[in-house]
Amino acid sequence: MCGIVAYIGKRDVYPILIKGLQRLEYRGYDSAGIAILNGDLKIFKKAGKVSDLHAFAKDKDTSGHIGMGHTRWATHGEPNDRNAHPHYSQSGAFAIIHNGIIENYSSIKAELSKRGHIFKSDTDTEVLVHLIEDIFEHGNVTLDEAVRLALGEVIGAYAIVVLSKDHPNELICARKGSPIVLGVGKEKGEFFVASDATPIIEYTNNVIYLNDGEVAYINNGTLTVKTIENQVKTPYIHELEMKLEQLEKGGFEHFMMKEIYEQPRSIWDSMRGRIDATKGFLRMGGVAEYENKFSNAKRILIIGCGTSWHAGLVAEYLIEDLARIPVEVEYASEFRYRNPIIHETDIVIPISQSGETADTLAAIELAKSKGATIFGVCNVVGASIPRATHAGAYTHAGPEIGVASTKAFTAQVTVLTLIALQIAHHRGTITDSRYHQLMNELEAVPAKVERVLKTNDQIMKLAAKFKDARNFLYLGRGYGFPVALEGALKLKEISYIHAEGYPAAEMKHGPIALIDAEMPVVVIANKNETYEKVVSNIQEVKARKGIIIAIVTEGDTVVKGLADHVIEIPETDDVLMPLVSVVPLQLLSYHIAVLRGCNVDQPRNLAKSVTVE
């Protein structure tokens, strides 16, 4: 949700903070700020982008070797200078940055106000730093004790970093429900703190992932990790596999376009080592460990949000089609609030790119409490969701910086396809010939995506015709329906054009009333068993003067004769079609958004990792 970066050591801190915030800006870009401790505790903050903060701080004294920075996605209080982080305590002796929500902030604020505290912002975060100072001043405790005691009083989610003017060699961070990564520097006594590894990888690949309820206390170059209850923990140092070049645009104008073009590689990386069609080999280690549970499951529940939910819908079709196990796909944000029926025989598959989605984490805890087996699908090694599950599979998409997921979707669908195939083969619900056919077809997908990417110039020209449209409809049947939903989501989240996806047959049950000569209708019309039905749906749209943009199989002549515009994709088995047909929809959304002057990497009101409910 928000981006956090901090440093303590011998280096000049300001360049580390600014560069770190630039790399974290995909997590929030309403405002940004830094605090630097160098004799005094100085805060510089500004509404807007990190570039606005950098310009604001250009002529300020930013020298120092300890500091912290924050880029905000607003929850409490509108985006402006005074609500930007960091926040001072009452006396100005303490400063804090925070990712998350303090749910009981209003009652704490009321009590502190009675004691004479005056608040300068509308945020819940400022309340927390006032509380820490109040406990420190009146509780006869050390700084780390004051932080732990304050956190014991708050309800909600947080990742925080705290500095104190009177403790110039100390830095404290803590987490509950929001991620914190500690980088262990190459120089003795040097440490980095961040929301994720992107600001750290330039300096170190050795990291510690704080667990929920843990507080890290760095004092005079020594790190101590404790629980909020004061139990000392021994941290485990992980080695990052991320490379610095993965965080750069690599010659592309936007991260989103780079990530669209990375899909042949990310799809292959998500299969690599797990499948070899020539040898008839397919094995997912996590699935193999729980193979009998999968095979005997009476039901599989898939939970996710946004694009991950759409990937879950594809998985529903895959698993029911191939493995013949009933599947339900749930919005994580609704799952925990509707008192769902969960059995111990259920398998729950949470899907998340970041591995930190708050709603999905809450749904996992609920399902675990009912005795279900949790098998996670996630892109980020060491994230909260993989650590909360019984087993799982990583997608190996690499860092995804663009807020609108592209390669994350196809990587998720790739891994879910492998899972469905392995379960189906173990259960004997598909023939050996079909099993080997799909393995061969799956290995061919990256090359087919490469061919789709060659339609980019054609799609750019098409986008110019529709950049001023006010509405879009997306239609698909079968495996094409989740693709229609994902295409509509991509368009509205980055271009701000209203778009909706529907099963093509449902058009007659309401949406057909919207169709006129001003309505572009994108139809997933590849050759499959529902092809004739889709052709009929296209004719219904044309009869009402709707404009048809069709995604068709190469060589198609029937739809080509009906549609106003066609984008051809390679012939692909229907089971694997979402991996290929979604790519032109990503390109169409991208080019429309760019032509409309939208910031495709940082669309308004959105952040990459939603770590609050």
Side-chain angles (χ1 to χ4, degrees):
M1 186 63 69
C2 300
I4 284 174
V5 61
Y7 172 77
I8 183 169
K10 296 179 181 178
R11 303 176 195 246
D12 186 7
V13 72
Y14 179 76
I16 295 171
L17 298 181
I18 283 295
K19 189 178 290 186
L21 291 179
Q22 289 167 343
R23 292 213 175 116
L24 287 169
E25 198 163 17
Y26 70 93
R27 298 181 69 98
Y29 32 89
D30 293 335
S31 59
I34 58 172
I36 295 176
L37 183 54
N38 186 13
D40 198 7
L41 183 55
K42 295 171 287 189
I43 289 179
F44 311 107
K45 54 186 183 177
K46 201 73 179 167
K49 307 287 188 182
V50 173
S51 58
D52 297 314
L53 170 65
H54 191 27
F56 175 70
K58 194 171 184 180
D59 58 350
K60 309 291 192 301
D61 179 9
T62 56
S63 60
H65 304 285
I66 174 173
M68 59 189 183
H70 186 273
T71 182
R72 183 173 184 245
W73 190 86
T75 50
H76 283 83
E78 66 180 76
N80 56 31
D81 290 355
R82 68 189 182 89
N83 287 331
H85 297 211
H87 289 287
Y88 280 122
S89 63
Q90 173 76 2
S91 70
F94 294 82
I96 193 171
I97 53 177
H98 168 222
N99 177 17
I101 288 180
I102 306 302
E103 295 175 7
N104 61 335
Y105 83 100
S106 58
S107 58
I108 297 172
K109 185 175 185 177
E111 181 60 33
L112 290 171
S113 295
K114 291 178 185 176
R115 300 185 202 173
H117 286 255
I118 298 172
F119 298 92
K120 298 177 181 178
S121 77
D122 304 315
T123 68
D124 55 338
T125 302
E126 188 187 9
V127 174
L128 180 53
V129 73
H130 278 243
L131 177 62
I132 290 169
E133 182 177 70
D134 192 78
I135 291 172
F136 180 75
E137 289 182 344
H138 300 101
N140 191 27
V141 293
T142 62
L143 176 58
D144 69 312
E145 287 174 330
V147 173
R148 287 190 292 101
L149 289 170
L151 294 178
E153 293 189 25
V154 302
I155 299 170
Y158 55 78
I160 64 167
V161 181
V162 178
L163 294 177
S164 169
K165 179 175 66 175
D166 300 320
H167 299 76
N169 299 307
E170 300 179 23
L171 181 150
I172 298 176
C173 59
R175 70 155 288 179
K176 180 185 177 185
S178 292
I180 280 284
V181 181
L182 280 171
V184 181
K186 296 174 183 177
E187 299 290 333
K188 185 177 180 181
E190 177 182 64
F191 294 92
F192 303 81
V193 181
S195 304
D196 61 45
T198 53
I200 290 175
I201 192 63
E202 182 172 348
Y203 309 102
T204 180
N205 60 353
N206 293 320
V207 300
I208 296 165
Y209 296 101
L210 282 192
N211 294 311
D212 267 3
E214 289 184 345
V215 182
Y217 177 53
I218 302 165
N219 181 18
N220 289 312
T222 300
L223 170 68
T224 304
V225 178
K226 299 179 180 180
T227 65
I228 292 175
E229 294 78 22
N230 203 30
Q231 179 186 0
V232 176
K233 307 291 285 187
T234 301
Y236 177 77
I237 297 177
H238 300 255
E239 186 172 344
L240 291 172
E241 296 180 1
M242 187 186 300
K243 293 180 174 59
L244 184 60
E245 56 266 27
Q246 293 177 297
L247 306 179
E248 307 297 336
K249 291 180 183 175
F252 289 90
E253 185 178 355
H254 300 98
F255 279 109
M256 183 179 176
M257 189 57 128
K258 174 178 180 263
E259 288 155 8
I260 290 172
Y261 270 79
E262 284 176 340
Q263 287 177 111
R265 176 60 183 269
S266 58
I267 291 170
W268 177 248
D269 283 347
S270 295
M271 291 190 281
R272 185 163 41 89
R274 294 165 166 170
I275 183 173
D276 186 333
T278 58
K279 296 179 180 178
F281 170 81
L282 191 160
R283 187 178 188 275
M284 303 281 288
V287 176
E289 185 181 353
Y290 285 85
E291 209 158 40
N292 289 330
K293 282 212 168 191
F294 270 107
S295 292
N296 297 321
K298 298 288 189 270
R299 179 181 64 163
I300 292 175
L301 287 166
I302 299 176
I303 54 178
C305 301
T307 288
S308 295
W309 187 79
H310 296 156
L313 284 181
V314 177
E316 178 182 21
Y317 284 72
L318 285 164
I319 294 169
E320 291 193 343
D321 187 2
L322 301 177
R324 310 305 297 155
I325 300 172
V327 178
E328 295 177 21
V329 184
E330 301 270 2
Y331 284 111
S333 55
E334 290 294 316
F335 183 72
R336 64 182 295 213
Y337 292 112
R338 64 171 189 79
N339 194 21
I341 298 169
I342 305 170
H343 303 290
E344 292 184 1
T345 55
D346 288 340
I347 300 279
V348 175
I349 302 179
I351 307 172
S352 171
Q353 188 282 138
S354 68
E356 302 293 348
T357 310
D359 289 317
T360 306
L361 279 164
I364 289 170
E365 293 308 315
L366 174 61
K368 284 173 73 175
S369 72
K370 303 292 185 181
T373 300
I374 317 298
F375 187 94
V377 174
C378 179
N379 187 40
V380 180
V381 177
S384 296
I385 285 176
R387 288 185 285 153
T389 56
H390 295 109
Y394 287 110
T395 54
H396 302 301
E400 189 178 62
I401 306 301
V403 166
S405 280
T406 51
K407 66 176 181 173
F409 175 78
T410 50
Q412 288 168 352
V413 171
T414 300
V415 166
L416 292 163
T417 303
L418 292 170
I419 292 169
L421 278 170
Q422 185 167 337
I423 299 168
H425 188 246
H426 187 258
R427 283 171 58 85
T429 51
I430 57 173
T431 64
D432 283 346
S433 61
R434 178 67 170 150
Y435 177 64
H436 291 287
Q437 176 198 2
L438 286 175
M439 279 198 286
N440 279 295
E441 288 274 352
L442 187 55
E443 286 191 341
V445 164
K448 292 181 180 181
V449 173
E450 289 273 15
R451 287 165 60 187
V452 174
L453 292 171
K454 291 178 181 178
T455 65
N456 180 60
D457 290 347
Q458 174 200 350
I459 293 172
M460 190 188 314
K461 294 174 184 175
L462 185 61
K465 298 177 184 294
F466 295 101
K467 68 181 179 64
D468 297 319
R470 298 180 63 186
N471 300 282
F472 264 76
L473 281 180
Y474 287 71
L475 303 177
R477 282 180 179 256
Y479 285 95
F481 169 49
V483 175
L485 290 175
E486 177 61 12
L489 176 62
K490 284 290 137 320
L491 184 68
K492 57 190 165 189
E493 68 183 340
I494 63 170
S495 75
Y496 320 138
I497 294 173
H498 174 254
E500 295 297 336
Y502 286 96
E506 285 298 302
M507 181 181 60
K508 295 187 292 291
H509 299 280
I512 200 167
L514 299 171
I515 293 174
D516 58 21
E518 302 297 319
M519 176 66 81
V521 181
V522 180
V523 184
I524 317 301
N526 57 296
K527 286 282 183 72
N528 59 24
E529 63 183 20
T530 64
Y531 179 75
E532 298 300 331
K533 300 291 186 185
V534 172
V535 170
S536 295
N537 296 138
I538 291 172
Q539 290 169 329
E540 290 166 350
V541 173
K542 292 301 295 179
R544 289 153 182 85
K545 303 187 185 304
I547 305 165
I548 294 291
I549 303 168
I551 309 300
V552 302
T553 304
E554 285 175 339
D556 182 289
T557 56
V558 176
V559 172
K560 190 177 287 188
L562 293 171
D564 299 276
H565 309 277
V566 296
I567 303 167
E568 292 188 325
I569 61 173
E571 185 173 356
T572 306
D573 192 289
D574 201 35
V575 167
L576 306 176
M577 182 274 297
L579 290 167
V580 180
S581 60
V582 76
V583 177
L585 304 186
Q586 295 169 347
L587 289 168
L588 181 63
S589 299
Y590 170 84
H591 287 300
I592 288 176
V594 170
L595 289 169
R596 288 168 64 88
C598 302
N599 186 336
V600 295
D601 284 339
Q602 298 172 358
R604 68 188 183 204
N605 303 331
L606 295 176
K608 185 68 178 175
S609 178
V610 183
T611 57
V612 297
E613 293 182 51

